[in-house]
Amino acid sequence: MSVKRSKTESTYISVDPKEASIKEVHQLLLGGVAPRPIALVSTISKKGINNLAPFSFFNAFGANPPIVAFSPSRRGHDGTTKDTLNNLREIKQCVIQAVTHDMVEQASLSSTEYEPEIDEFIKSGFTPIPSDLIKPMRVKESPFHMECEVLQIVPLGDKNASGNLVICEVIRFHFHPEIFKDGIIEPNLIDLVGRNSSNYYTRASGEAIFSITKPIGKKGIGFDNLPVFVKQSHVLTANNLGQLANCESIPSQDEMDSFVNSTGTTADTGDIYISSFIFKSLDEMIPIAVTRWKNKHDEAKDFLEITAKKALDNKKPDVAWKLLLLSNRE
Ligand SMILES: Cc1cc2nc3c(=O)[nH]c(=O)nc-3n(C[C@H](O)[C@H](O)[C@H](O)COP(=O)(O)O)c2cc1C
């Protein structure tokens, strides 16, 4: 790979895609645009042969009408087009199914370049079931299907590895009720996989899943309004600062006073060290930290900042703000 020094930042390696090989450019995209959802695409040839292949250059682009798109590229080694694209040029319909952890090996198997006469449902061991509105079959093993009509195929070049954007309108959704909870497809129930660089995949469930509170219709104060002492904290992370900047206001003097007055004090025995303090619960930490501040303890600021971080980790930014403001008060 022909590597350049970034003109603006010496810590980056900069690459001109025109000077790199196709493989290198492909790997940069695979690694940096990741994890990508995987579309397991079912098509049918004019002769009636079922075709199945996974595509991770894939996403959704609108809800009204529901639009999804994926890109079957020309083959990297000889520039020929893939069976999926050839089929779609003839019969402009496909089913896109989600790929879950239980079926990822079979989905990977379906990426094998079998000849167009081979039914890839049979090769990959997936069970074909009929669609409601279109000719291509659905994959029974997937809990989420989209029957699609192709609106447009946009060639993105005519060389080896050039993409072909297939833009589809979803005309019917199908999903298993078991993946649905409280009005949404629940990530731990559907257990999707995503594609990363090389042979790497991501399993989108368990510890990989977390939530970020982003209440609709509110405007956070922004990073620029964070006090300097907060930005310079050695305890808070960039994500913690983001949570604080996402709050609409900083607690007022009155709110601070009532927080201090309403927080019960504890007997400060002097034998609580930071090393044991960090393992306590937020409810135990707050009175200890506030008591140390009231007693002008040498390490009161550290105790308050660590407690503020715990409050942020517990998604209580309002409490964190109060603790932080206190840490800066005499
Ligand atoms: C997880 C995964 C994702 C893939 N994503 C793409 C992709 O986005 N575009 C592409 O052209 N090929 C992709 N491939 C490779 C195709 O699946 C492969 O070339 C397949 O043989 C195409 O089948 P077809 O000739 O039946 O259309 C991917 C393979 C795997 C395993």
Side-chain angles (χ1 to χ4, degrees):
M1 182 168 347
S2 157
V3 160
K4 292 190 191 317
R5 279 250 161 267
S6 166
K7 283 188 186 140
T8 46
E9 275 276 0
S10 60
T11 46
Y12 288 86
I13 289 170
S14 303
V15 173
D16 178 349
K18 293 198 173 75
E19 288 177 19
S21 70
I22 296 174
K23 204 169 171 193
E24 288 162 346
V25 171
H26 192 222
Q27 280 305 327
L28 285 175
L29 289 170
L30 294 188
V33 187
R36 294 178 305 289
I38 303 173
L40 182 59
V41 180
S42 155
T43 55
I44 192 162
S45 73
K46 227 166 40 179
K47 291 182 188 157
I49 298 161
N50 291 320
N51 191 85
L52 207 52
F55 295 94
S56 67
F57 284 3
F58 162 60
N59 224 306
F61 293 92
N64 186 19
I67 301 293
V68 292
F70 65 97
S71 176
S73 59
R74 285 175 178 271
R75 293 193 177 92
H77 56 94
D78 61 5
T80 54
T81 52
K82 300 186 177 181
D83 297 345
T84 302
L85 184 69
N86 299 339
N87 286 352
L88 288 171
R89 284 191 171 137
E90 292 176 353
I91 296 179
K92 299 185 183 319
Q93 299 175 332
C94 62
V95 187
I96 297 181
Q97 19 266 311
V99 175
T100 68
H101 188 257
D102 282 347
M103 54 183 284
V104 65
E105 288 284 354
Q106 282 173 276
S108 167
L109 178 61
S110 76
S111 75
T112 309
E113 287 196 7
Y114 293 112
E115 293 67 35
E117 308 75 47
I118 302 288
D119 183 326
E120 283 161 343
F121 273 88
I122 296 174
K123 281 289 173 201
S124 56
F126 282 126
T127 314
I129 51 171
S131 295
D132 282 1
L133 307 170
I134 58 175
K135 283 188 188 159
M137 301 294 253
R138 299 192 276 142
V139 174
K140 191 175 178 202
E141 285 74 7
S142 170
F144 181 79
H145 309 160
M146 295 179 284
E147 290 187 30
C148 299
E149 250 164 23
V150 174
L151 297 182
Q152 220 183 325
I153 299 177
V154 186
L156 305 173
D158 56 8
K159 303 193 177 71
N160 297 18
S162 295
N164 293 281
L165 194 62
V166 179
I167 304 171
C168 306
E169 179 171 349
V170 182
I171 54 171
R172 174 111 350 145
F173 291 95
H174 306 269
F175 60 90
H176 279 182
E178 294 86 70
I179 63 168
F180 208 70
K181 196 176 161 201
D182 301 331
I184 58 161
I185 294 177
E186 216 279 328
N188 283 303
L189 298 177
I190 189 167
D191 198 13
L192 292 169
V193 287
R195 186 79 199 272
N196 298 67
S197 55
S198 185
N199 290 334
Y200 292 113
Y201 286 77
T202 301
R203 186 172 187 176
S205 61
E207 286 191 2
I209 301 294
F210 60 95
S211 66
I212 291 183
T213 316
K214 182 71 189 149
I216 293 161
K218 83 169 200 183
K219 276 200 183 120
I221 57 166
F223 242 76
D224 52 328
N225 279 318
L226 293 178
V228 173
F229 79 91
V230 170
K231 283 194 212 176
Q232 288 176 344
S233 162
H234 295 296
V235 173
L236 302 176
T237 63
N239 280 335
N240 292 148
L241 297 183
Q243 288 173 283
L244 293 166
N246 199 21
C247 293
E248 282 189 294
S249 60
I250 295 176
S252 65
Q253 192 70 33
D254 283 355
E255 286 172 311
M256 286 299 296
D257 291 344
S258 75
F259 172 69
V260 173
N261 294 335
S262 65
T263 305
T265 46
T266 55
D268 191 346
T269 57
D271 59 3
I272 301 161
Y273 299 100
I274 287 199
S275 52
S276 63
F277 179 70
I278 54 177
F279 294 110
K280 293 186 182 296
S281 72
L282 178 64
D283 286 346
E284 288 173 299
M285 288 167 87
I286 292 172
I288 297 171
V290 172
T291 302
R292 293 217 149 172
W293 174 80
K294 284 179 182 165
N295 294 345
K296 300 193 184 306
H297 190 283
D298 285 349
E299 290 178 315
K301 188 173 161 49
D302 294 341
F303 276 78
L304 283 165
E305 277 196 37
I306 289 166
T307 311
K309 177 162 176 40
K310 180 83 135 206
L312 289 168
D313 292 343
N314 287 356
K315 304 214 176 292
K316 292 189 171 164
D318 50 326
V319 175
W321 263 119
K322 288 168 188 160
L323 293 161
L324 287 169
L325 293 178
L326 203 58
S327 77
N328 199 42
R329 262 197 192 181
E330 286 305 313

